[in-house]
Amino acid sequence: MPLLARSVLTPLHIDVRRGAVADLAAILSDGRISAGGDVAVVVGPGQGERIAELIRPSLRSADVFTVAGGTLDAADDLGTKLRARSYDAVVGIGGGKTIDVAKYAATRRGLPMVSVATSLANDGIASPVASLITEGLKGSYGVHIPIAVIVDLDFVEAGPERHNRAGIGDVVSNVSALADWELARRVRGERVDGLAASLSRAGAEAVLNHPGDMNDDGFVTVLADALISSGLAMAIEGTSRPCSGGCHEIMHAIDALFPGTASHGELAGLGALFCTYLRGDERRFAEMAACLTRHGLPRLPAEVELTDDQFVEAVQFAPATRPDRYTILEHLAMSATETRERLADYAGALRDHIG
């Protein structure tokens, strides 16, 4: 992934609560975002369009653009449309695909971007990364972090529960990513940024240890805060290192080899659990397995409709997805036979922990 713009700046405004969208027009009138309401509102199909209609009467100078697909072509097309007139800011309203398209187009136009999330599927809400599909493959592109982040729990609640639960897997995977980062420090002398690591770890620990679920506003708020903190950790470090290790290498490999099996967060959680087992960290493995089980997230290849052989193939391919990254996968450098044996042991250990 390209090096991101290293920055310790945080968004001007972060709002996670019910009814947060009601204040969106007032937030956009902040002179640091838009002096006259000349904003481009980017929405995806569904809830994004509903929110755009709610705020349209207060933003008479706004233009609304609908995007779909989460592709680089869609982001480039939006960038072309943004050149048609002068805008103060771009507002992305919707799920991860919509927000990533808006982040990329806004960055290429040099415009501040406001993120209004309607789901909690992954940590793209406030991250300096846009994941976009080009020629059938998902790539990561460095972008500016949003100038403001809004998560309205009413709209999150109205969205598909599976999408929101997936964000749990993405946050929990931070634990594995940080262990990989520390491994790279010990073996290769890689620098670890303490503030970025702390932000990433705090969110993961909060989600791991919270007894609630997606029906509990307290838990959903903790999850949203953790996803935002993950984005800020990446912005501080200048790469996705605080939140991406062998877990995400496996996720990217599955996306490339077997697209459409499961979501980003679901695969990141599965990859993190497997990597934690490979590391021999029994305490973390037990914590993570219990959390994923409690929230109904996948822990075995079959639960994302992969055979063991397909998962082994993905693990073998995984290091090639991030050639510059050193993780437990690169450290062990397992053969296909060794990976298959470790996968069988992993499945046995999982049965022992969860029954």
Side-chain angles (χ1 to χ4, degrees):
M1 190 188 73
L3 187 70
L4 311 179
R6 181 175 169 83
S7 172
V8 295
L9 296 177
T10 58
L12 295 173
H13 185 91
I14 297 176
D15 196 357
V16 180
R17 60 184 172 87
R18 290 188 179 275
V21 163
D23 294 332
L24 179 56
I27 293 165
L28 294 176
S29 67
D30 185 317
R32 294 168 294 180
I33 297 176
S34 175
D38 295 314
V39 298
V41 179
V42 181
V43 301
Q47 293 202 91
E49 294 175 341
R50 286 178 53 206
I51 295 174
E53 287 304 312
L54 286 174
I55 65 173
R56 191 189 293 271
S58 303
L59 298 173
R60 301 185 187 281
S61 299
D63 291 327
V64 178
F65 301 98
T66 300
V67 299
T71 65
L72 182 60
D73 286 343
D76 285 335
D77 181 60
L78 175 61
T80 299
K81 292 175 180 175
L82 294 179
R83 286 195 290 270
R85 59 171 281 202
S86 177
Y87 293 104
D88 297 327
V90 175
V91 184
I93 306 176
K97 292 179 180 179
T98 301
I99 288 175
D100 280 351
V101 167
K103 282 194 294 188
Y104 181 92
T107 297
R108 295 305 178 266
R109 290 292 297 145
L111 296 171
M113 184 268 183
V114 175
S115 174
V116 183
T118 60
S119 76
L120 300 177
N122 57 61
D123 58 17
I125 295 171
S127 77
V129 181
S131 296
L132 301 170
I133 299 170
T134 178
E135 297 181 355
L137 297 176
K138 185 174 289 186
S140 297
Y141 301 86
V143 295
H144 296 308
I145 65 171
I147 197 170
V149 181
I150 298 170
V151 181
D152 191 319
L153 300 186
D154 289 323
F155 286 92
V156 169
E157 183 182 77
E161 183 180 345
R162 181 181 176 184
H163 288 183
N164 293 322
R165 281 191 288 115
I168 299 168
D170 206 14
V171 167
V172 168
S173 75
N174 289 6
V175 172
S176 180
L178 291 170
D180 280 334
W181 202 7
E182 177 60 25
L183 176 65
R185 185 195 66 78
R186 293 198 309 269
V187 175
R188 299 202 309 185
E190 189 171 321
R191 183 192 60 81
V192 173
D193 185 291
L195 177 57
S198 294
L199 279 170
S200 175
R201 181 176 291 107
E205 296 285 1
V207 170
L208 270 174
N209 295 308
H210 199 291
D213 58 24
M214 294 305 300
N215 296 312
D216 173 5
D217 277 10
F219 175 78
V220 178
T221 300
V222 165
L223 175 59
D225 287 341
L227 291 168
I228 293 169
S229 293
S230 294
L232 298 182
M234 288 186 269
I236 288 167
E237 168 55 22
T239 75
S240 61
R241 195 49 151 145
C243 308
S244 172
C247 48
H248 279 62
E249 289 181 334
I250 292 173
M251 181 269 293
H252 287 299
I254 294 173
D255 268 349
L257 297 174
F258 312 107
T261 57
S263 69
H264 174 115
E266 290 172 324
L267 295 177
L270 168 60
L273 187 61
F274 182 65
C275 287
T276 301
Y277 175 77
L278 294 179
R279 246 179 246 108
D281 189 338
E282 293 185 9
R283 180 180 68 84
R284 281 299 195 188
F285 178 75
E287 284 181 346
M288 201 177 294
C291 179
L292 296 181
T293 300
R294 186 167 68 252
H295 294 290
L297 289 165
R299 302 142 306 170
L300 292 166
E303 294 172 344
V304 292
E305 300 183 357
L306 290 176
T307 66
D308 285 357
D309 284 345
Q310 287 174 322
F311 188 77
V312 169
E313 183 181 353
V315 172
Q316 290 293 293
F317 179 66
T321 67
R322 292 292 183 272
D324 61 328
R325 196 145 289 181
Y326 192 83
T327 77
I328 191 65
L329 301 180
E330 287 81 1
H331 186 67
L332 295 177
M334 298 180 296
S335 66
T337 299
E338 290 170 327
T339 303
R340 190 171 290 105
E341 290 172 351
R342 297 304 297 273
L343 178 58
D345 293 342
Y346 161 82
L350 192 57
R351 284 193 297 271
D352 290 342
H353 278 286
I354 64 176

